[in-house]
Amino acid sequence: MFEPLIPAQVVAGLGDVPFSPQFGDVYHSAQGALAQAHHVFLRGNGLPERWRGRPRFTVCETGFGLGLNFLALWQAWRQDPSRCAALHMVSIEAHPFTVGQLAHWLHKLVPDDLRPLADALLAQWPALVPGLHRLEFDGAAVTLTLGFGRAETVVPRLQLAADAFFLDGFAPKRNPEMWSADLLAQLAQLGAPGATAATWATAGAMRRALKAAGFEVKKHRGFGPKRDMTMARLLTPGSIADRALAAIQSRGQAVVIGAGLAGAGMAEALARRGWDVVVLADASAPPGLGHLAAALTPLVDRDDSPRARLARAGVLRAGSRWQGLMHEGGSLEPMGAGPAPLAVARAGTVQVMKANRARRPEEALAWQASMAALQFAPDWMRVIDVDEASALAGQPVGRGGLYFPGGLLVRPAALCAGLLRHPSIRRVSATAGSLRRVAGGDWQVLDGTGATVLAQASLVVVACAAGAPGLLRNSGLAWPLGEGMQQVAGQISLLPARALAQGGPRCIVAGEGYVLPAVDGWCVAGSTYDHDASPLAPAPVSDAGHASNLGRVRALLPQALGGDPSGLAGWGGWRAVLPDRLPAIGALAGAPGVWLAAGYASRGLAWSALAGDLVGAALAGEPPVLEQDLALGVVPDRPGKPGGKSH
């Protein structure tokens, strides 16, 4: 059942210490939050000594609060010349601060030497929506994964190997769910070999629960007026931690088959983590314009279903991962100086209510109420009426609906080129025909004749859309999803911006179809779904397709141009669609070192960054960027036969 995310409520307590009226407790000791962090959580977990010389060290925290434990941990890591190569923290928070609240308290509490770290945290503070949010610092050597939601909901969805636990919820008697035996047992399953735990709390029930979960528990001198604190050591590593550690693969050579949104996102994620990547771009792919521009906007539904959560995770990851290629001005015009055109702009999206819903006032009101009941932060989504929709678009819009300030306008070709520009990526024009495993465990990628080795590596990612099932069959490997993939044709239309009211909309306008702000003098409109076109021929572009797209545009923007569609330019392409409309992302069973990233359907932009980090994080031993229940829904060998519509 969906639970809205309720932000923190905080006031100044005695000594100006932040106080939660909801829980009747302070956020930290009156003797100082940073001093408490060092005494209880760092020293209580043997830090910094325990991370020295290690490739990675992961901390799991219950209760992020103001983030002062994280800031103290990060500063200690920076100051240690023998620090681990990578530091990860996963922190769970049911009631996160708004960025304004967080800035207010951090600026009051942190000393000058910690201010740059606090400002860096504030600069990346995410929208207050449920789920996992990955923040990266110091060139991604330090990561913070925030799990927004109740701990008893978030923890069972995690797969990671924690070396230390910071147990820092409100007092057990005031917030018993954070200290329950069930939750502590679930945390123990995330514990890596030698994992430790520390907390200022000493409640007897909590200590007994830690012992029952497999920890050796001891009391030590407490901080400030507290006589004691609790320190613990996990005696047997957790089963979930074992699985996370088993997925780690030493970085080296990697081959990515495919140079589209799937391949480029995967190659960039691997290269950023230290892999040397060869990308095989299909030499047989026909030349063409491709999408001049496309939009990335989340799905949303009243129950916040897994599909909606996946779409939100994809948009959030893309918005973070593509910062270096992004223009915050909302437009991709002008092209910009130099060889690299602007690839991504945060343009915002007006998502227009469905016409059949709008025609029934009672249903429309009920839908608006259900959207408002999600209580998403307004910087993520808000309900809008037709007047606000029109003001945002800069011209009349047919109906009200939703507004997503973070909606992205993208040049797909420029995005792929930007992602593949990493110095550790080498692009080769060649068509892969099959894979062959050789002595030592490497995989060779062969051409269509099977006579020429195109590349060899310990890691191969198959990201060649509808070509993936055939490539695996040619390699003697089983395609794990039974029916293969359907190819569905689609057509977009290019509308002259000068012929549209106000030169086209100021933001993305979407609903039953879409029309995008002008790029290079054209507004992209789309798109069709042609299930009858033959995949053996080029994707069709027809006057009937243009007429269909124009009909969608006029429903969204009543003042859109009319006229004969026969003079319009456009482009047709293929979508690789699995029956359940979800992609296949993950390791291929029975073929160690082979991973899949295919079947992105109509949402290649939503999957590109998320899938790359999903695979890259697993191989590097990082905490997850996606909850485990969602990740299991897209693995290649997911249980059950995929079913449902194909678009």
Side-chain angles (χ1 to χ4, degrees):
M1 182 177 176
F2 174 74
E3 297 178 357
L5 190 66
I6 308 300
Q9 302 173 19
V10 61
V11 298
L14 293 175
D16 213 22
V17 173
F19 177 84
S20 169
Q22 179 180 1
F23 292 98
D25 201 1
V26 293
Y27 274 86
H28 60 77
S29 169
Q31 280 65 43
L34 294 171
Q36 176 179 276
H38 281 278
H39 181 91
V40 175
F41 297 110
L42 272 68
R43 294 176 196 161
N45 280 287
L47 300 175
E49 293 80 10
R50 287 184 57 229
W51 66 37
R52 288 177 177 161
R54 298 178 56 163
R56 70 193 68 84
F57 194 90
T58 300
V59 175
C60 182
E61 178 183 53
T62 54
F64 184 77
L66 289 161
L68 294 166
N69 291 339
F70 168 69
L71 294 176
L73 181 75
W74 182 11
Q75 184 183 53
W77 178 86
R78 276 188 159 196
Q79 293 173 345
D80 185 2
S82 301
R83 60 182 175 259
C84 52
L87 175 66
H88 307 294
M89 175 182 259
V90 178
S91 189
I92 301 151
E93 180 54 64
H95 302 288
F97 282 72
T98 65
V99 68
Q101 286 179 314
L102 190 63
H104 168 78
W105 285 103
L106 288 182
H107 289 161
K108 289 182 66 171
L109 294 170
V110 301
D112 289 345
D113 64 330
L114 207 57
R115 184 64 59 86
L117 304 190
D119 289 342
L121 173 63
L122 291 168
Q124 291 194 46
W125 192 245
L128 299 194
V129 292
L132 299 185
H133 304 262
R134 172 65 63 85
L135 285 60
E136 297 177 347
F137 308 97
D138 286 345
V142 175
T143 70
L144 170 63
T145 303
L146 292 165
F148 285 168
R150 293 189 304 121
E152 52 266 45
T153 300
V154 175
V155 170
R157 293 173 170 171
L158 296 178
Q159 178 162 318
L160 58 93
D163 300 294
F165 294 95
F166 292 4
L167 305 180
D168 196 22
F170 289 116
K173 65 181 179 181
R174 300 184 184 277
N175 188 18
E177 291 82 4
M178 286 282 279
W179 306 90
S180 72
D182 284 346
L183 181 62
L184 294 175
Q186 289 168 346
L187 287 171
Q189 292 305 306
L190 305 178
T196 59
T199 177
W200 46 266
T202 57
M206 179 270 296
R207 291 165 53 79
R208 290 189 293 274
L210 281 173
K211 290 179 181 178
F215 286 90
E216 178 185 49
V217 181
K218 295 181 179 180
K219 284 185 178 181
H220 287 263
R221 181 177 61 84
F223 174 74
K226 292 189 70 66
R227 184 180 65 184
D228 298 315
M229 58 175 276
T230 300
M231 292 168 54
R233 182 174 62 89
L234 190 61
L235 299 178
T236 304
S239 59
I240 295 175
D242 282 345
R243 291 197 294 271
L245 292 171
I248 297 174
Q249 186 170 340
S250 298
R251 61 193 181 193
Q253 303 291 322
V255 177
V256 175
I257 302 173
L261 287 168
M266 196 63 60
E268 191 271 345
L270 294 173
R272 190 164 20 84
R273 290 171 169 87
W275 292 82
D276 292 319
V277 185
V278 172
V279 174
L280 299 181
D282 189 353
S284 66
L289 172 66
H291 267 34
L292 172 64
L296 176 54
T297 300
L299 292 171
V300 63
D301 62 41
R302 65 188 69 194
D303 299 320
D304 203 34
S305 66
R307 192 175 296 275
R309 291 166 55 207
L310 282 165
R312 180 166 69 244
V315 175
L316 287 167
R317 194 84 293 261
S320 175
R321 177 59 61 228
W322 298 341
Q323 281 291 329
L325 301 169
M326 189 176 297
H327 175 55
E328 294 288 352
S331 171
L332 293 179
E333 296 189 314
M335 289 281 288
L342 296 169
V344 185
R346 204 179 298 275
T349 300
V350 168
Q351 186 79 26
V352 177
M353 185 189 303
K354 290 182 178 180
N356 61 352
R357 179 175 289 135
R359 285 192 290 268
R360 297 188 285 271
E362 289 185 3
E363 184 176 339
L365 288 172
W367 176 81
Q368 290 175 329
S370 70
M371 294 296 101
L374 294 170
Q375 299 185 46
F376 287 162
D379 60 349
W380 174 252
M381 184 202 84
R382 66 177 187 267
V383 178
I384 56 174
D385 60 20
V386 65
D387 291 337
E388 187 174 4
S390 300
L392 289 164
Q395 59 183 281
V397 173
R399 300 175 295 280
L402 304 173
Y403 180 59
F404 298 93
L408 299 180
L409 180 64
V410 181
R411 293 180 187 262
L415 172 63
C416 289
L419 295 173
L420 294 174
R421 205 172 290 126
H422 193 285
S424 294
I425 297 174
R426 180 166 61 93
R427 191 176 187 271
V428 176
S429 180
T431 302
S434 62
L435 306 177
R436 179 174 65 196
R437 198 170 193 199
V438 296
D442 275 7
W443 290 89
Q444 291 179 340
V445 185
L446 309 176
D447 69 356
T449 70
T452 301
V453 177
L454 302 175
Q456 179 172 327
S458 61
L459 175 69
V460 175
V461 182
V462 179
C464 51
L471 177 67
L472 295 184
R473 284 194 294 268
N474 293 343
S475 310
L477 300 173
W479 172 253
L481 287 164
E483 298 178 9
M485 275 190 284
Q486 182 183 7
Q487 294 190 64
V488 179
Q491 175 182 335
I492 61 169
S493 302
L494 299 178
L495 312 181
R498 64 180 181 277
L500 292 174
Q502 309 301 319
R506 284 200 297 249
C507 66
I508 300 159
V509 180
E512 294 160 302
Y514 60 83
V515 59
L516 308 184
V519 175
D520 296 347
W522 301 94
C523 292
V524 174
S527 64
T528 64
Y529 286 84
D530 186 348
H531 294 267
D532 298 322
S534 170
L536 300 178
V541 177
S542 66
D543 290 347
H546 287 315
S548 178
N549 285 336
L550 280 177
R552 294 184 180 92
V553 172
R554 293 185 191 113
L556 297 171
L557 303 175
Q559 292 185 3
L561 80 174
D564 185 358
S566 61
L568 292 178
W571 174 81
W574 295 97
R575 307 173 180 93
V577 186
L578 288 165
D580 62 359
R581 294 181 293 162
L582 292 175
I585 299 168
L588 184 66
V594 178
W595 292 63
L596 279 179
Y600 285 20
S602 301
R603 294 195 164 267
L605 290 173
W607 283 108
S608 180
L610 181 63
D613 278 345
L614 187 62
V615 173
L619 292 169
E622 300 171 9
V625 296
L626 192 63
E627 296 97 317
Q628 184 69 357
D629 61 318
L630 298 181
L632 289 174
V634 299
V635 294
D637 58 347
R638 51 190 179 257
K641 184 178 179 181
K645 299 178 182 178
S646 58
H647 66 271

